């Protein structure tokens, strides 16, 4: 089945700096890659996603890149703000079979004032 | 308002006492799933359902049951709960299994003593 590795597990950056979180996946059939943000005590919420026919997608301060050959994708947050502090999860979806959506173990992003 | 509703939000119970966590969505989604979230392990899929009367095991199905008699409801059943099932549980739904974002409920925190 699919295996998703996420790094780092904790990331601390100064407010205003950029943050990058990286994920790798194992199943070359995976074709959909969402990112979720989970604030303390809250549910995961989708912040951006990318499909396998696209290499990069941006939404204001957030961007995601996908390298299908290397089987890795990354989340980029620019001009970080205190409200960006949260746990971020990447996921990969093969679109069929028993695997469904497989999540990485999460990255705790800390924005230092 | 589009939402996934879980009940109860919190439950403390004892080993062996059957319990059910309900999940209901109002978006006419076909695909529903259950996850458990444990520190350091991220989100792991327990069971999923692609439509009414169609359910299948995820990554960690042992000790759980589900049913999908109606499109909107997908209850999670613990027939004989044990302490290792103490966790934070999330129900999620989407239009389809692949290529679509999942909407999560607010979570149910279960403590099995």
């Amino acid at each position: 089945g699919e295996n998703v590795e996420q790094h780092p597990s904790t990331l601390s950056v100064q407010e205003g700096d950029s943050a990058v979180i990286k994920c790798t996946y194992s199943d070359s059939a995976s074709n959909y890659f969402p990112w979720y943000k989970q604030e303390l005590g809250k549910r995961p919420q989708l912040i951006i996603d990318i499909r396998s026919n696209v290499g990069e997608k941006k939404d204001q301060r957030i961007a995601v890149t996908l390298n299908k050959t290397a089987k890795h994708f990354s989340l980029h947050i620019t001009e970080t703000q205190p409200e960006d502090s949260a746990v971020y999860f990447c996921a990969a979806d093969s679109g069929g079979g028993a695997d469904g959506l497989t999540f990485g173990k999460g990255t705790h992003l800390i924005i230092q004032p | 308002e589009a939402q996934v509703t879980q009940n109860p939000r919190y439950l403390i119970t004892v080993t062996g006492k059957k319990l059910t966590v309900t999940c209901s969505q109002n978006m006419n989604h076909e695909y529903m799933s259950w996850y458990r979230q444990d520190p350091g392990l991220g989100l792991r899929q327990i069971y999923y359902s692609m439509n009414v009367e169609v359910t299948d095991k995820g990554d960690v199905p042992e000790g759980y049951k589900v049913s999908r008699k109606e499109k909107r409801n997908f209850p999670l059943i613990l027939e004989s709960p044990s302490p290792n099932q103490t966790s934070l549980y999330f129900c999620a739904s989407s239009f389809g299994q692949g290529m679509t974002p999942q909407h999560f409920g607010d979570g149910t925190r279960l403590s099995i003593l």
Side-chain angles (χ1 to χ4, degrees), chain B residues 92-105:
Chain B
S93 73
S94 65
F95 280 111
Q97 183 175 5
M99 306 284 281
T100 58
Q102 294 198 27
H103 300 262
F104 284 85

Side-chain angles (χ1 to χ4, degrees), chain A residues 10-88:
Chain A
T10 303
L11 177 60
S12 181
V13 302
Q14 289 294 125
E15 182 178 348
D17 288 350
S18 296
V20 180
I21 301 170
K22 299 180 180 181
C23 289
T24 60
Y25 61 99
S26 61
D27 188 351
S28 56
S30 288
N31 52 18
Y32 174 63
F33 307 92
W35 286 88
Y36 289 85
K37 176 183 180 181
Q38 187 178 28
E39 296 174 0
L40 189 62
K42 302 278 184 69
R43 61 190 161 141
Q45 290 195 292
L46 179 78
I47 55 172
I48 195 167
D49 57 10
I50 191 167
R51 305 184 194 284
S52 58
N53 58 347
V54 175
E56 182 175 358
K57 184 176 178 180
K58 289 182 80 171
D59 182 3
Q60 299 182 341
R61 295 187 297 108
I62 293 172
V64 58
T65 58
L66 171 65
N67 183 327
K68 285 172 56 181
T69 304
K71 289 191 278 189
H72 68 70
F73 56 112
S74 300
L75 178 71
H76 305 253
I77 306 174
T78 59
E79 300 172 20
T80 53
Q81 299 169 5
E83 55 264 36
D84 294 329
S85 293
V87 178
Y88 291 80

Side-chain angles (χ1 to χ4, degrees), chain A residues 31-32 34 36 38 41-46 49 51-52 89 93-106, chain B residues 4 9 31 35 37 40-43 45 48 56-59 88 90 97-107:
Chain A
N31 52 18
Y32 174 63
Y36 289 85
Q38 187 178 28
K42 302 278 184 69
R43 61 190 161 141
Q45 290 195 292
L46 179 78
D49 57 10
R51 305 184 194 284
S52 58
F89 292 96
D93 194 334
S94 61
D99 290 324
L101 199 63
T102 302
F103 285 84
K105 289 184 170 52
Chain B
V4 178
R9 292 290 314 281
Y31 183 78
Y35 296 88
Q37 184 175 25
L41 297 178
L43 287 149
Q45 190 177 58
Y48 68 96
D56 212 340
K57 297 177 180 178
D59 296 321
L88 177 60
F90 287 100
Q97 183 175 5
M99 306 284 281
T100 58
Q102 294 198 27
H103 300 262
F104 284 85
D106 286 329

